[in-house]
Amino acid sequence: MSLSEWENISRQAEALNLSKISDLQSPTTGRYTDRALAATIIITSNGVTYTSATFDAGIPPKELEALYNTLQKPRQKKPLK
């Protein structure tokens, strides 16, 4: 991961109210059956770990959408030297 990618992720995480991410409601419930995989986002900041409520993979709560999409972007692999 490049430094700029990490900085972007860090900025997005810092913009969240981390103490509230466990209370964010998922917009869908496909994970309750076999329609969707379950996903969570875990952030550690200043030695404290914050875990989001579980949501359907690909359909995060609106507040986590930008961070989730950034984390899911495919990254170009650098050739080994």
Side-chain angles (χ1 to χ4, degrees):
M1 173 178 296
S2 72
L3 179 59
S4 64
E5 289 173 317
W6 179 249
E7 288 172 344
N8 184 27
I9 290 168
S10 294
R11 272 192 306 276
Q12 289 181 32
E14 288 170 2
L16 297 169
N17 183 346
L18 296 177
S19 64
K20 301 280 185 191
I21 67 171
S22 64
D23 298 327
L24 298 176
Q25 297 296 312
S26 175
T28 56
T29 58
R31 66 197 175 285
Y32 296 155
T33 63
D34 289 339
R35 291 184 292 150
L37 295 174
T40 57
I41 293 179
I42 301 170
I43 300 170
T44 301
S45 176
N46 297 320
V48 179
T49 300
Y50 303 91
T51 304
S52 73
T54 304
F55 56 89
D56 291 354
I59 311 172
K62 186 170 187 69
E63 298 87 347
L64 299 175
E65 189 171 16
L67 178 59
Y68 179 84
N69 289 336
T70 299
L71 293 169
Q72 293 301 310
K73 281 184 186 173
R75 290 174 178 64
Q76 290 190 358
K77 294 183 181 182
K78 295 180 182 177
L80 296 174
K81 293 183 179 182

